[in-house]
Amino acid sequence: FFQEPLKVYANLPLDRAQRGLIDQLSNTLLPTSKIEGLTTVEPTLDFMLGMVNDCYIKEDVDKYLVGLTAFQIHLTEKYQSSFEKLSPEKVTELFTELKTSDTISEELKYFFSTTKQLTEKHFISSEYYQKKYMDFEFAPGRYVGCAAL
């Protein structure tokens, strides 16, 4: 009944369904929902859309949007289904095709690779990953008093 208002991105005129598709794609590429202790300042979708909106030039934003449309068309033409209804085998087949095929458009490849890169970047820059895997300590580090010389 009540839907949360969408964040407005000046360069990305996306509707709720398109945002949902990008979010599902991101969560399928890197399923972080089952990682205990992982918290981030903002959801992956907001991070990705903010990066594309604020950091990419107009031509790349347009290429991303054309790639999103091409992705939706590709799903309906090849699989006659939405992304959320694809079986895990079909998703693996789709991802392999998007990475390796020479027959799909550059815009579609760009959309997929950008979504994948930004999903990974969001996870790698999280506090959870930095502390657990990179042994990160906030500067200036810890204080060791009364150390033997």
Side-chain angles (χ1 to χ4, degrees), residues 24-62:
Q24 288 171 350
L25 176 62
S26 172
N27 289 332
T28 305
L29 286 166
L30 186 62
T32 58
S33 61
K34 295 179 181 163
I35 299 175
E36 190 174 319
L38 175 64
T39 58
T40 56
V41 176
E42 63 184 346
T44 305
L45 179 66
D46 290 337
F47 173 81
M48 291 188 321
L49 296 181
M51 290 292 287
V52 173
N53 184 64
D54 298 339
C55 302
Y56 286 41
I57 61 173
K58 176 81 171 118
E59 291 80 21
D60 289 343
V61 172
D62 293 341

Side-chain angles (χ1 to χ4, degrees), residues 51-145:
M51 290 292 287
V52 173
N53 184 64
D54 298 339
C55 302
Y56 286 41
I57 61 173
K58 176 81 171 118
E59 291 80 21
D60 289 343
V61 172
D62 293 341
K63 194 174 182 181
Y64 187 81
L65 292 171
V66 170
L68 171 59
T69 305
F71 182 69
Q72 291 172 309
I73 292 169
H74 184 74
L75 284 172
T76 56
E77 286 180 354
K78 183 163 184 172
Y79 299 103
Q80 293 80 32
S81 177
S82 64
F83 185 72
E84 64 189 18
K85 295 179 182 175
L86 290 180
S87 67
E89 295 80 24
K90 297 278 185 188
V91 169
T92 303
E93 177 187 320
L94 174 65
F95 287 174
T96 303
E97 177 188 17
L98 291 173
K99 285 187 225 173
T100 60
S101 178
D102 293 331
T103 59
I104 59 174
S105 69
E106 282 300 313
E107 290 83 5
L108 179 52
K109 282 186 179 182
Y110 181 78
F111 167 74
F112 180 72
S113 67
T114 302
T115 302
K116 183 175 180 282
Q117 288 169 357
L118 290 174
T119 300
E120 291 170 354
K121 185 174 189 160
H122 181 255
F123 178 70
I124 289 171
S125 63
S126 70
E127 179 182 359
Y128 172 83
Y129 181 84
Q130 290 292 316
K131 285 185 174 180
K132 188 156 179 112
Y133 297 103
M134 300 303 291
D135 237 5
F136 174 80
E137 270 188 52
F138 192 72
R142 66 180 79 103
Y143 173 73
V144 182

